[in-house]
Amino acid sequence: MEKFLDFIVRAGSLDRRYIFVVIALVVLLPLFFPLGLPIRPTIASQKVYDVVEELNAGDKALVSFEYGPSTKPEIHPMAVALLRHLFEKDVKVYITCLWPDGQFMAMEALEQVAEDQYNKVYGEDYVLLGFRPGNEAVIKGLVSNLRKVFTVDANGNFLDDIPMMTGINQVADFDYLFSASAGYPGTVEWVQYAADPVGITMSTGTTSIQVNEVMPYVQSGQIKGILGGMPGAAEYESLIGQAGIGTSGMDAQSVAHVVIVAFIIFGNISFFVERRRSKKY
Amino acid sequence: MNGSEIFGAWVAVFLTLGIFSYLYKDNPFYKIAEHVFVGVSAGYWMSMFFWTQIQPNLFGRLWPTPDGAIAGFFMKIWYGIYNLFGFILPSVFPDGGIDKGHGNHPHFLYIIPFVLGIMMLLSVSSKFSWMARLGIAYTVGMAAGLRAYAFLNSNVLGQIKGTAVSFVDMPFFSLTGVSVFNNLIILVGTITGLLYFYFSKEHKGNFGKVTRVGIYFLMISFGASFGFAVMGRISLLIGRFTDLITYGSSTYNYASLWVLLLMIGLLAVWTFKGNKEVAS
């Protein structure tokens, strides 16, 4: 027993680089050899799906891209899945970006979904309004007069020349709002400056780390559903029946979590054993 | 796959592995990747802000394409200034005004943000840095005013409404939906959590016991935050690994493999040399 406790204490002071190697392996291996673990949608993800399901063909959805390459693995899969769902239902999609990199993320997602998968027509089925700096001031501007914030789209076309922009002058003219957000400005600002004052139905997709911050808005009904990080994306992919990047990453995610939990338990045992010994002597 | 895409993949692989190499220890690859990231980010943001906001929305409003010939003494001077700028920077100030859909008449009100912006830039000068305070004061004041109402409406009133839960016409217990039990947790968690931050009374006796419950709720919340943080970081790692696997294919000339081997080899030499120097 004493030998075993010695081993635990020694393992507790293991060089952290070995832990990095173990984590790298448990993330890498499931990517090469998928396990096909089941994905069950949470209530929050289901709510996003239900809200989009209630939209009719021709309804207008404002989708805001507030993430960049650094958070792409978490947010991009859900943005792609949501666009698939919206285009499947023939909803008209309007895209804004509060982050400069968001514009490139939106372009990539639109190329993949709107152009290659659904053959949608730019200006009639979807429009990329682009990025405007100003954080919450931009949202406030969109709520009061969208035409003042955007006179041209991301490609330099005048909004007056884009057919699907007819009758769109403010946030209240949209039927649905989705914020794909990785931080500030993002979901919280959309709730504060658009969803709450205007009363527009809003859902969101956020990074995992933001979920705790945004969840109170979901609980209070200010936001209708949330997709939390890569698992949220995988759940949405399973709901729309189109597996994507989110689903393929979930095996690695699950295995890595199990190993990390094991490390935490082991680290705690080691800590308590060491503390007991130091008290003893 | 064209040459530039393959080159881009090689650069991405080098930068990714360069950043990962810090997990071994601080080294020249990490330093290169770090400096490239900071430099490119700063340049990219500046360029993006200028071409999406300052040029079209500020200069575009100050000097829009005029409707016909420029008439009037003042307007001739105004567009004379524009032409002078155009002579120096023709790509920013093209011939005949900036046409970005802001009408045909200058919006002179936008001179105020233009001047405030210049004032903020003066913070680099020790003599005129005091002027930057005016620009900053405006920004802070505007943000405070803009946020006050939004916070009150969404974070105070909205959240109070959210915690005003009902206890009738619902099942006692449900894992997936609204229930008396879940609402009870919301109620107790909110009240005890708030009481924990009430410092005008010492946390002793019954009051201490209640605030202790508040601490437990806070601990659970922090634990959930930690769990989500781990989940987020693993997702990012999966994203990088997925890209490295893609770039390790024959389409990209096995970029991941070659860069990894080269980096390990050079790091080994660098460490070996370093150890020898320390020993000597």
Coordinates of all heavy atoms in Angstrom, one line a residue, chain A residues 143 190-200, chain B residues 149 153-154:
Chain A
V143 N -30.7 48.9 -35.4 CA -32.1 49.0 -34.8 C -32.8 50.2 -35.2 O -34.0 50.2 -35.6 CB -32.0 48.9 -33.2 CG1 -33.3 49.2 -32.6 CG2 -31.6 47.5 -32.8
W190 N -26.3 42.0 -28.6 CA -27.5 41.8 -29.4 C -28.8 41.7 -28.6 O -29.8 42.2 -28.9 CB -27.4 40.5 -30.3 CG -26.6 40.8 -31.6 CD1 -25.4 40.3 -31.8 CD2 -27.0 41.5 -32.7 NE1 -25.0 40.7 -33.1 CE2 -25.9 41.5 -33.7 CE3 -28.1 42.3 -33.1 CZ2 -26.0 42.1 -34.9 CZ3 -28.2 42.9 -34.3 CH2 -27.1 42.8 -35.2
V191 N -28.6 41.1 -27.4 CA -29.8 41.0 -26.5 C -30.1 42.4 -26.0 O -31.3 42.8 -26.0 CB -29.5 40.0 -25.3 CG1 -30.6 40.1 -24.3 CG2 -29.3 38.6 -25.8
Q192 N -29.1 43.1 -25.5 CA -29.3 44.4 -24.9 C -29.8 45.5 -25.8 O -30.6 46.3 -25.5 CB -28.0 44.9 -24.2 CG -27.6 44.0 -23.1 CD -26.2 44.4 -22.5 OE1 -25.4 45.0 -23.2 NE2 -25.9 44.0 -21.3
Y193 N -29.3 45.5 -27.1 CA -29.6 46.6 -28.0 C -30.6 46.2 -29.1 O -31.1 47.1 -29.7 CB -28.3 47.1 -28.6 CG -27.4 47.7 -27.5 CD1 -26.3 46.9 -27.0 CD2 -27.5 48.9 -27.0 CE1 -25.5 47.4 -26.0 CE2 -26.7 49.4 -26.0 CZ -25.7 48.6 -25.5 OH -24.9 49.1 -24.6
A194 N -30.8 44.9 -29.3 CA -31.8 44.6 -30.4 C -32.9 43.7 -29.9 O -34.1 44.1 -30.0 CB -31.0 43.9 -31.5
A195 N -32.6 42.5 -29.4 CA -33.7 41.6 -29.0 C -34.6 42.1 -28.0 O -35.8 42.0 -28.2 CB -33.1 40.2 -28.6
D196 N -34.1 42.6 -26.9 CA -35.0 43.1 -25.8 C -35.7 44.4 -26.2 O -37.0 44.4 -26.1 CB -34.1 43.4 -24.6 CG -34.0 42.1 -23.7 OD1 -34.6 41.1 -24.1 OD2 -33.2 42.1 -22.7
P197 N -35.1 45.4 -26.8 CA -35.9 46.6 -27.1 C -36.8 46.4 -28.3 O -37.9 46.9 -28.3 CB -34.8 47.6 -27.5 CG -33.5 47.1 -27.1 CD -33.7 45.6 -27.0
V198 N -36.4 45.6 -29.3 CA -37.3 45.4 -30.5 C -38.3 44.3 -30.3 O -39.4 44.3 -30.8 CB -36.4 45.2 -31.7 CG1 -37.2 44.9 -32.9 CG2 -35.5 46.3 -31.9
G199 N -37.9 43.3 -29.5 CA -38.8 42.1 -29.3 C -38.6 41.1 -30.4 O -39.5 40.2 -30.5
I200 N -37.5 41.1 -31.2 CA -37.3 40.1 -32.2 C -36.9 38.8 -31.6 O -36.2 38.7 -30.6 CB -36.3 40.6 -33.2 CG1 -36.1 39.7 -34.4 CG2 -34.9 40.9 -32.6 CD1 -35.2 40.2 -35.5
Chain B
Y149 N -28.8 52.3 -20.2 CA -30.2 51.9 -20.4 C -30.2 50.4 -20.7 O -31.1 49.6 -20.2 CB -30.8 52.7 -21.6 CG -32.1 52.0 -22.0 CD1 -33.3 52.2 -21.2 CD2 -32.2 51.3 -23.2 CE1 -34.5 51.6 -21.6 CE2 -33.4 50.7 -23.6 CZ -34.5 50.8 -22.8 OH -35.7 50.2 -23.2
N153 N -32.3 47.5 -18.7 CA -33.4 46.8 -19.3 C -33.2 45.3 -19.4 O -34.0 44.6 -18.9 CB -33.6 47.4 -20.7 CG -34.8 46.9 -21.4 OD1 -35.8 46.6 -20.7 ND2 -34.7 46.6 -22.7
S154 N -32.0 44.9 -19.9 CA -31.8 43.5 -20.1 C -31.2 42.8 -18.9 O -31.6 41.6 -18.7 CB -30.8 43.3 -21.3 OG -31.3 43.9 -22.5

